[in-house]
Amino acid sequence: MSAQNSAIPLPSVAVGGTVQAALGTLCFSFTFPATNWALHGLGPWTLTGLRGVLAGLLAAVCLFASGAKVPPRSAWPGLAAVVAGCVIGFPVLSTFALRISSTAHSAVVIGLLPLATATVAALRAGSRPPRAFWLAASVGAAAVLAFTVQQSHGAGLGTADLYLLGALLICAVGYAEGGRLSRTMPGWQVIAWSLVAALPVMAATGAFALAAEPAHWTWHSVTGLAYLGAVSQFGGFVVWYRGMAAIGVPRASQLQLAQPLLTLCWAVLLLAEPLPGTAVPTALAVVACIAVTQRAGSAARPAGS
């Protein structure tokens, strides 16, 4: 009984974890608008490489200043998944998607990420959320998918959607593995070591891309690049992984159901994109799903119990 109770987060820890996961969601909600800004002056490969370099250098400085030790070998496979999903895969695929799709449309497609993350976490970690959790998560995902189809006027999935679906699938693996590692090592070190490990690849990508793609250093491109490197690629992950470690991957992932709606707001305010008429009904459905999944997620139990 004591071992089982020790796995249940204290109320104060759960509240703090929820706040940090929500803050991570807020940070990530600006990622697509920042990418849109950066793409006004930088090519997709240049942007991907340079944001990785900036984040990697920042992470290296923080690791050195804190005297952090190299993670044990048992953590390397999980860190490799974070590198592949969160450091390289998602930035590359989402950047190419945003070249041919609006920020609003892309944000809604990525709204399927919470369900993908919860599914990966359940398969990888053996967590068993109750049926109500999966039902609410599925309804939230269905609402996001219906919104996407409505926005495409029934035309189905395009090239940008395929990029985004690939991005969310590989990112879900990175999220789940990062959340798992954050239970045994500081969350900020999970993303920091992943960024440092990817630094040579990002540096080579940025160097070759700068020679092949024209770069225009405008206020928007510099601001977008700076945000992507410092916040989307590093700072946001610090609070996000800490939140997942405190309240669990499935519950934390459902907070991201609010991310596409936040991004829609920033698309209107920062990019002057038109607000889809179905945004408000979708927002109400998403908020309801978050409430249900947060309540049901607290009843999750490990496999075999």
Side-chain angles (χ1 to χ4, degrees), residues 1 19 28 33 54 67 138 172 184 247 268:
M1 178 65 70
V19 169
F28 295 148
L54 289 177
S138 298
T184 58
I247 64 176
V268 173

Side-chain angles (χ1 to χ4, degrees), residues 14-153:
V15 171
T18 300
V19 169
Q20 291 185 89
L23 181 57
T25 297
L26 178 62
C27 290
F28 295 148
S29 71
F30 286 99
T31 296
F32 281 2
T35 303
N36 185 293
W37 275 5
L39 284 172
H40 278 83
L42 302 174
W45 288 111
T46 301
L47 176 57
T48 300
L50 292 186
R51 69 183 278 186
V53 169
L54 289 177
L57 292 176
L58 179 60
V61 170
C62 292
L63 288 170
F64 178 79
S66 66
K69 297 182 179 180
V70 176
R73 289 194 176 185
S74 59
W76 291 4
L79 290 174
V82 176
V83 171
C86 302
V87 179
I88 299 177
F90 184 86
V92 169
L93 294 173
S94 62
T95 298
F96 273 92
L98 283 165
R99 293 188 71 201
I100 55 179
S101 178
S102 70
T103 299
H105 180 86
S106 300
V108 176
V109 176
I110 292 297
L112 296 174
L113 179 58
L115 182 58
T117 303
T119 302
V120 171
L123 295 174
R124 178 68 178 84
S127 61
R128 292 173 56 187
R131 188 171 301 174
F133 177 95
W134 293 112
L135 178 61
S138 298
V139 170
V144 170
L145 183 60
F147 183 89
T148 305
V149 173
Q150 186 272 334
Q151 286 297 295
S152 67
H153 305 290

Side-chain angles (χ1 to χ4, degrees), residues 163-181:
Y163 278 135
L164 292 166
L165 288 174
L168 73 89
L169 288 175
I170 194 170
C171 188
V173 175
Y175 275 176
E177 286 299 305
R180 184 183 63 83
L181 288 174

